[in-house]
Amino acid sequence: MTQLNTWVEEIKKHNLLKEIIFHNQWYTNVPGDNGLAEIQHITYDSRDIKENTLFFCKGANFHLSYLEQAIKDGATCYISETPYEVDENVLGIIVTDVKKAMAVVSQLFYNHPEKELKIVAYTGTKGKTTSTYLCYEILKRETQGHVAFFSTLETNLGAGETFKSKLTTPESLDLYRMMRQAVTNGMTHLVMEVSSQAYKLERVYNLTFDVGVFLNISPDHISDIEHPTFDDYFYCKRQLLANSRQIILNADSDYADFLYEYAKQYTSDIITFGEQTDVDVNWQSINAHSFSIDNHSSLPIESTTYQLAMEGYFNHSNATSALIATSLVGAQAASQKEGLAVAQIDGRMKKLMLPNNSPVYIDYAHNYLSLATLVGFVKSEYPEKRVHLVIGSTGDKAQSRRYDFARVISESINKAYLTTDDPGSESALDIAETIKQNVTSSVDMVIELDREKAINMALSEMSEQDVLVIAGKGSDRYQIINGEHIPYLGDQTVVEKWIEKEGLK
C-alpha cells in the first residue's frame, strides 16, 4: 500500500474522510497512477515548505493564499476541511476535522514515536510545571539523562536540544516531530504537561499516555477564546483520564470522588494520593522543605521522610505525585530522594531577603488556586507580617483571572500594586482597573503599569513587618504587548538590582 493510501485508510478508521479531489474529480480512495512522489515533509506553516510537502490547512485565520503559496513552493498534497480551487495536479484530502487528521497523519509520518517512549503526562489547574520538573529531575538520575521534557517553560529533546516552549502542549505535528527527535537522541522517557487547550484543540488526539496524573481543578482559562464555561474547561481537563493506561489522582482535589468514578470507566489501574489518610499514598508536611510518606500501595516507594529544595507545603503534594509517577515508569528510591532534594525551578517559589530582613517571594502563580495557595503559605510562614502583592493579569485570554485576583486581594492582601502582565492587545490600565474595582475589602491599592517601577515601589515601601509576593510572570523576561515580545528584565533581576543598590548605600 502506498504512503498516501495508508494515511487515508487511517483517516477513514477515525471516520474523518469526506472526499479526495484530484484533477477536478472526486474519489473515496487515492486514485492509482496519480504520479505523485512520496511525501517528504508535512507542515501547517506555509513558510515551511519543501519539495513534495503535505500541507495542512488549519487555523481560524487560514487564508487560501497560504495554500497557494505552499503549492508554489513545493506542496503536492493538502488536507483541509474545505475543498479549494487550486492546481489540479495537487491532491486534496478533504476531512471533517483537520486537527484530528493532522494528529493521526503525524503519528504515521513520524512512525509512532510515542510507542518508543514511556510517557508521564500531567494536567491540573496548578502545579503541572513544578510536578513535571520534579519527575524530570528524578528520571534524569534514574535513566542517566535519557528523559525528554515538554513543559510550559521549556522543551528538552536530549542531546543538548533545549529551547523555550511556545505552547504548554505543542500542536500534534510538532509534538510527534519532537518525540521522534527525542527518540533519535536516545531518550527513553518523556515527561510532559497536557493543557486543557490540548484536548480542546485536538493536539493530543489519539494519543494514549502510559501514566496520566490529575492534580487539581478550579476555574481558569474561562474566556471567549479559550473555554466558554467551567464545565467545558473541566471536561477538557479530565480527558487525560480517558487516555491514560495508569492514572494517579489527587484525593484532596475538588471533585475527587467524581474524578475517581470517571477514571474507573477507562481503567482499574488508579492510584490515589493526598494529605488525607484514606488513600494509597499519604503525605504529611513536616516543615516547608520536608514531608513524610506513608505508602499503602504495592509500589516501591519508601515510607520515609523526603527533602525538597523548594519551599512550600503545597509542593509536598506535587512531590508525592512525582514519586508515584516515576515509580510507575521504573524509578528507584535513590533517584527519587536525590531528584527531589535538588530540583529547583526558575521563577517558582524563589525567596529573596531584603537588607531589613523582610522576605520577598517570586512565583509564576497566575490563577486563583495557585495565587491563593501561595499567599496562604506565606501567611502561615509569617503570621505576624502584613502581606503585600505585586500582580497584573494577562490580556486576550482568561479574563476570569482578573476577578480571581481581586478575590485573593480581598481575602488576604494588605497592600496591592497592580501592574502589567502580558496585556496583549488590551489596555493594561483597563485590566488593572477591573481588578481594583472588584476588590471588596478595604485594601490599599496602587496602579503602576511599569512593572519594574511597581516592584521597586513595593520594595521601597517594605518595612520589617511586611512580606512581599511578586506573582504572575515567574522567570519571564518579556511582556507580550500587541503581539510583540517586549524585553523585560525579569522580576528576580529587578529585585536583585534593588537589593544590590540598597547594599551600596
Side-chain angles (χ1 to χ4, degrees):
M1 185 179 289
T2 67
Q3 179 194 50
L4 281 174
N5 275 318
T6 300
W7 295 355
V8 167
E9 287 305 307
E10 188 67 18
I11 288 171
K12 286 181 178 179
K13 287 180 184 178
H14 292 266
N15 198 29
L16 297 172
L17 184 68
K18 291 167 68 177
E19 64 266 352
I20 297 169
I21 299 177
F22 190 61
H23 284 175
N24 298 320
Q25 299 294 314
W26 287 27
Y27 301 88
T28 58
N29 296 295
V30 177
D33 301 323
N34 54 56
L36 296 175
E38 185 168 283
I39 297 297
Q40 300 296 321
H41 182 60
I42 63 175
T43 185
Y44 56 87
D45 187 345
S46 61
R47 299 162 298 183
D48 177 34
I49 303 296
K50 302 175 183 178
E51 188 176 0
N52 299 320
T53 287
L54 167 63
F55 181 68
F56 294 95
C57 305
K58 66 173 288 291
N61 298 317
F62 178 80
H63 192 274
L64 174 59
S65 61
Y66 301 157
L67 175 58
E68 292 172 335
Q69 186 63 49
I71 292 170
K72 181 180 178 181
D73 292 341
T76 57
C77 179
Y78 73 91
I79 294 181
S80 170
E81 294 174 9
T82 303
Y84 292 103
E85 293 185 7
V86 292
D87 186 331
E88 66 176 17
N89 294 308
V90 173
L91 184 79
I93 300 173
I94 314 305
V95 297
T96 58
D97 191 321
V98 68
K99 296 184 290 294
K100 290 181 178 179
M102 186 168 75
V104 298
V105 170
S106 297
Q107 285 180 315
L108 292 168
F109 183 79
Y110 290 108
N111 197 23
H112 287 285
E114 76 279 7
K115 295 181 179 180
E116 301 175 59
L117 293 163
K118 285 287 187 183
I119 306 177
V120 175
Y122 269 87
T123 200
T125 302
K126 80 175 185 72
K128 295 188 301 297
T129 300
T130 297
S131 299
T132 53
Y133 264 94
L134 294 173
C135 283
Y136 173 70
E137 288 293 343
I138 292 170
L139 290 175
K140 187 165 65 173
R141 286 153 179 78
E142 185 64 35
T143 66
Q144 289 75 53
H146 296 288
V147 54
F149 181 56
F150 302 168
S151 84
T152 300
L153 296 181
E154 67 174 318
T155 298
N156 188 330
L157 306 180
E161 288 193 58
T162 302
F163 50 89
K164 183 169 179 58
S165 303
K166 293 181 179 179
L167 297 168
T168 296
T169 310
E171 295 282 1
S172 60
L173 190 154
D174 301 319
L175 179 62
Y176 291 109
R177 173 179 53 80
M178 292 191 297
M179 283 186 187
R180 174 49 59 194
Q181 187 60 47
V183 172
T184 299
N185 290 342
M187 302 300 102
T188 58
H189 292 66
L190 167 64
V191 182
M192 64 181 289
E193 296 180 46
V194 181
S195 65
S196 57
Q197 288 289 292
Y199 280 108
K200 181 79 172 176
L201 301 177
E202 307 294 357
R203 294 174 189 161
V204 290
Y205 176 75
N206 201 43
L207 175 57
T208 301
F209 302 102
D210 294 291
V211 179
V213 188
F214 196 105
L215 290 176
N216 45 62
I217 188 73
S218 69
D220 194 20
H221 295 285
I222 312 300
S223 71
D224 293 340
I225 63 171
E226 295 174 289
H227 299 281
T229 62
F230 173 69
D231 177 66
D232 183 70
Y233 171 64
F234 190 14
Y235 176 77
C236 290
K237 278 288 190 189
R238 65 180 182 264
Q239 294 316 296
L240 182 72
L241 305 179
N243 293 280
S244 299
R245 295 182 180 91
Q246 296 176 296
I247 292 170
I248 301 170
L249 282 178
N250 181 4
D252 298 328
S253 171
D254 288 348
Y255 302 96
D257 291 341
F258 169 74
L259 288 167
Y260 188 84
E261 183 180 355
Y262 188 86
K264 282 202 304 183
Q265 297 177 106
Y266 305 99
T267 181
S268 59
D269 202 344
I270 304 169
I271 299 168
T272 59
F273 73 98
E275 195 171 13
Q276 57 183 278
T277 56
D278 189 21
V279 290
D280 296 311
V281 182
N282 164 256
W283 63 269
Q284 295 293 326
S285 294
I286 297 173
N287 56 47
H289 286 281
S290 63
F291 67 102
S292 64
I293 286 291
D294 189 5
N295 178 21
H296 304 287
S297 75
S298 60
L299 293 172
I301 301 171
E302 289 189 6
S303 294
T304 187
T305 298
Y306 293 83
Q307 301 297 321
L308 267 182
M310 291 183 294
E311 270 194 271
Y313 300 113
F314 50 89
N315 280 325
H316 302 161
S317 178
N318 295 330
T320 302
S321 76
L323 289 172
I324 300 169
T326 55
S327 290
L328 289 172
V329 293
Q332 301 300 308
S335 298
Q336 292 177 328
K337 289 179 179 178
E338 184 180 346
L340 295 183
V342 302
Q344 291 274 20
I345 307 169
D346 197 18
R348 295 298 198 276
M349 287 303 291
K350 182 66 178 180
K351 181 181 179 181
L352 299 172
M353 299 301 294
L354 300 186
N356 68 358
N357 208 35
S358 292
V360 177
Y361 285 91
I362 300 168
D363 192 81
Y364 186 65
H366 61 288
N367 55 46
Y368 175 79
L369 186 57
S370 59
L371 183 60
T373 303
L374 168 61
V375 172
F377 165 74
V378 170
K379 290 175 75 72
S380 70
E381 288 291 284
Y382 299 95
E384 303 303 320
K385 289 184 181 289
R386 291 163 40 91
V387 180
H388 294 187
L389 173 68
V390 176
I391 197 162
S393 190
T394 54
D396 300 330
K397 64 178 183 178
Q399 284 93 339
S400 61
R401 290 177 183 170
R402 302 166 199 185
Y403 307 96
D404 293 338
F405 296 159
R407 179 181 167 191
V408 174
I409 292 169
S410 301
E411 293 170 343
S412 306
I413 301 302
N414 298 103
K415 183 165 186 176
Y417 301 81
L418 306 180
T419 189
T420 299
D421 184 351
D422 297 344
S425 64
E426 292 193 63
S427 162
L429 178 59
D430 288 348
I431 294 172
E433 289 285 4
T434 298
I435 297 173
K436 183 177 181 180
Q437 291 165 9
N438 283 275
V439 173
T440 58
S441 61
S442 180
V443 179
D444 187 6
M445 287 182 283
V446 176
I447 293 179
E448 171 52 68
L449 299 182
D450 185 313
R451 191 175 181 96
E452 183 176 355
K453 288 183 179 178
I455 292 172
N456 284 327
M457 182 188 300
L459 292 169
S460 298
E461 295 179 356
M462 287 273 286
S463 73
E464 295 180 2
Q465 285 73 48
D466 301 325
V467 56
L468 177 63
V469 174
I470 305 172
K473 292 201 71 65
S475 60
D476 289 351
R477 292 182 173 270
Y478 57 83
Q479 290 276 12
I480 301 175
I481 301 175
N482 292 321
E484 294 186 31
H485 283 61
I486 308 300
Y488 165 65
L489 278 177
D491 292 349
Q492 183 173 333
T493 302
V494 173
V495 176
E496 288 173 339
K497 284 182 64 178
W498 188 91
I499 292 173
E500 181 181 3
K501 180 180 176 182
E502 286 298 302
L504 296 175
K505 289 183 178 179

